[in-house]
């Protein structure tokens, strides 16, 4: 969400801005999983539903792996504020 992108700026503005940013992130991303399941139950044939849900939710896991690989390199070059997002 946009709140992910704004996290470094909010962190520079102070704890109150960062907390508000995180609340906004939770509100925006909290609807993701229910929406994915509602979408798949209405628009995807039953036999293909599990595969589609795997594809939709695998991005979160791949993003975590990617972040764990890239973050140390960003810290080495001194871009720590990007890592706070």
């Amino acid at each position: 969400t946009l709140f992910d992108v704004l996290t470094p700026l909010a962190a520079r503005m102070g704890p109150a801005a960062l907390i508000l940013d995180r609340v906004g992130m939770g509100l925006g991303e909290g609807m993701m999983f229910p929406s994915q399941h509602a979408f798949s139950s209405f628009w995807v044939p039953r036999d293909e539903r599990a595969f589609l849900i795997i594809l939709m939710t695998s991005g979160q896991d791949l993003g975590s792996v990617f972040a764990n690989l890239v973050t140390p390199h960003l810290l080495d070059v001194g871009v720590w504020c990007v890592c706070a997002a």
Side-chain angles (χ1 to χ4, degrees):
T1 62
L2 178 63
F3 291 104
D4 291 317
V5 176
L6 293 176
T7 299
L9 176 65
R12 283 191 216 114
M13 293 173 64
L18 183 59
I19 289 170
L20 287 173
D21 181 70
R22 290 298 187 174
V23 168
M25 187 184 308
L27 291 173
E29 294 177 3
M31 294 180 263
M32 183 180 66
F33 289 111
S35 299
Q36 288 175 344
H37 289 283
F39 169 78
S40 65
S41 68
F42 288 115
W43 294 101
V44 179
R46 183 176 292 255
D47 296 339
E48 300 173 14
R49 211 171 282 165
F51 181 71
L52 179 68
I53 290 174
I54 288 170
L55 286 179
M56 290 190 299
T57 58
S58 65
Q60 178 181 354
D61 299 327
L62 293 174
S64 296
V65 169
F66 180 75
N68 285 325
L69 293 173
V70 171
T71 300
H73 300 292
L74 292 174
L75 291 172
D76 283 342
V77 296
V79 194
W80 67 269
C81 63
V82 174
C83 300

